[in-house]
Amino acid sequence: MDAIPPPPAIRRLGQNFLVDPNIVRKIVALAELSASDSVLEIGPGRGILTEALSRAAGHVTAIEIDPRLHTFLSERAEHLPNVALVLGDALTAPIEHLPMGTIVVANLPYYISTPLLFRLLSHGNRFVRLVLMMQNEVADRLIAKPGTSEYGVLSVMAQYSAQISKAFKVSPKCFRPRPEVDSAVVLLRVHEPRARGPQEERQFTALVRAAFAHRRKTLVNSLKNEGYDAKHVEAVLTRLRLSPSLRAETLALEQFLELAHHLADPA
Ligand code: SAM
């Protein structure tokens, strides 16, 4: 029995703690961990997932922003022999020193799930695999296909970096306190960058953001509003046999990559 009860949840820090051991098991199984693996956990909270990760992996680094929970877990260090508990903000904490091939496993704090995801995916294959619990609605945007209302910047950028699958949904009943939304666990397998070099990658990222900046407009008009030369865009679309009246949400990832490549040519 715990000597000290865990501190109460702070909602603004996204503290919806998992209480269903079956979900913990399914998350750990999905991560396919072995004793030689290094794991990064974001937001260990009261440690339900951390303990399971500690048993399944070689080493776990767990970054927690709440000093109360950091202290609570530090006092249980005997259950977490191979876990480095770090007090810090996962959006800014140094993660560059983690071994290449680290696997990220987390029940994310939902209020920052999107920027956290972008941060993790920006590290190339330092993080090879990500098993993340997030809002179901965000999971649907990650796997969205062109032509659907969920398809947008997040879908294109995440699919650019990783092969993504939604593994299973999780009911609010599996948490305390219960979140107001459904959740889902997503598996992301990070792959090699598809752009031809870092400059093209920057152009691709800027293009995707500009293309979706004005969702109701045609691609040409949205890009024009974001400072692109409309005539050059039209010429490139014609060269690629794409209609000048199409909208960003109908373009597949490969087409965005092609477009970024050709737009970089002088007009
Ligand atoms: N892993 C625990 C579980 O499954 O029960 C807790 C998950 S809870 C959804 C999210 C955790 O992330 C909380 O412990 C919260 O304090 C922590 N957190 C919130 N913002 C954070 C941040 N910026 N950096 C690191 N941890 C954060």
Side-chain angles (χ1 to χ4, degrees):
M1 208 171 88
D2 284 335
I4 311 163
I10 300 177
R11 272 191 189 264
R12 93 186 138 71
L13 287 178
Q15 291 180 357
N16 299 101
F17 301 108
L18 260 175
V19 291
D20 184 335
N22 196 34
I23 301 295
V24 173
R25 259 193 305 277
K26 284 172 78 173
I27 291 174
V28 175
L30 192 61
E32 295 181 327
L33 299 172
S34 75
S36 58
D37 283 327
S38 152
V39 168
L40 168 64
E41 185 190 6
I42 289 162
R46 296 174 177 170
I48 186 169
L49 185 55
T50 323
E51 281 191 30
L53 293 172
S54 163
R55 285 193 294 273
H59 189 267
V60 180
T61 301
I63 307 176
E64 173 58 60
I65 202 170
D66 184 343
R68 303 168 315 149
L69 288 168
H70 178 72
T71 306
F72 177 77
L73 277 189
S74 302
E75 284 166 358
R76 273 148 198 77
E78 74 273 19
H79 299 301
L80 307 166
N82 53 349
V83 179
L85 295 169
V86 178
L87 177 62
D89 181 345
L91 282 175
T92 53
I95 49 176
E96 305 72 38
H97 62 277
L98 290 169
M100 295 303 287
T102 294
I103 297 157
V104 184
V105 186
N107 171 14
L108 291 178
Y110 292 176
Y111 73 107
I112 45 166
S113 47
T114 306
L116 271 174
L117 188 61
F118 275 123
R119 180 166 198 223
L120 294 167
L121 290 176
S122 74
H123 279 78
N125 52 9
R126 178 166 310 281
F127 305 118
V128 274
R129 197 148 76 239
L130 289 72
V131 175
L132 303 174
M133 173 102 75
M134 60 185 69
Q135 306 95 308
N136 187 50
E137 168 258 328
V138 177
D140 284 341
R141 281 162 54 205
L142 285 181
I143 58 166
K145 298 265 179 293
T148 62
S149 59
E150 291 90 4
Y151 189 67
V153 177
L154 184 62
S155 330
V156 181
M157 295 314 300
Q159 290 169 26
Y160 169 74
S161 302
Q163 185 204 327
I164 310 173
S165 54
K166 182 160 122 180
F168 54 93
K169 276 179 76 174
V170 183
S171 148
K173 286 187 212 150
C174 300
F175 304 84
R176 293 285 180 283
R178 292 180 183 189
E180 275 151 25
V181 294
D182 282 337
S183 302
V185 175
V186 173
L187 169 65
L188 298 98
R189 291 183 190 277
V190 175
H191 46 54
E192 290 298 317
R194 313 263 281 282
R196 290 159 251 200
Q199 195 190 344
E200 190 169 301
E201 188 165 288
R202 277 194 295 279
Q203 283 157 350
F204 163 74
T205 306
L207 170 71
V208 173
R209 289 192 184 280
F212 284 103
H214 309 274
R215 256 192 112 92
R216 297 227 196 96
K217 294 186 195 270
T218 62
L219 177 68
V220 175
N221 283 336
S222 188
L223 293 181
K224 187 175 160 198
N225 273 35
E226 296 302 301
Y228 286 72
D229 175 347
K231 288 222 163 358
H232 183 42
V233 175
E234 278 173 13
V236 169
L237 287 177
T238 308
R239 212 187 306 161
L240 296 177
R241 297 205 166 85
L242 293 170
S243 160
S245 62
L246 61 78
R247 289 170 201 280
E249 68 214 44
T250 62
L251 271 189
L253 168 62
E254 304 303 333
Q255 291 173 308
F256 274 114
L257 281 165
E258 261 320 86
L259 198 55
H261 180 66
H262 287 270
L263 281 173
D265 290 346

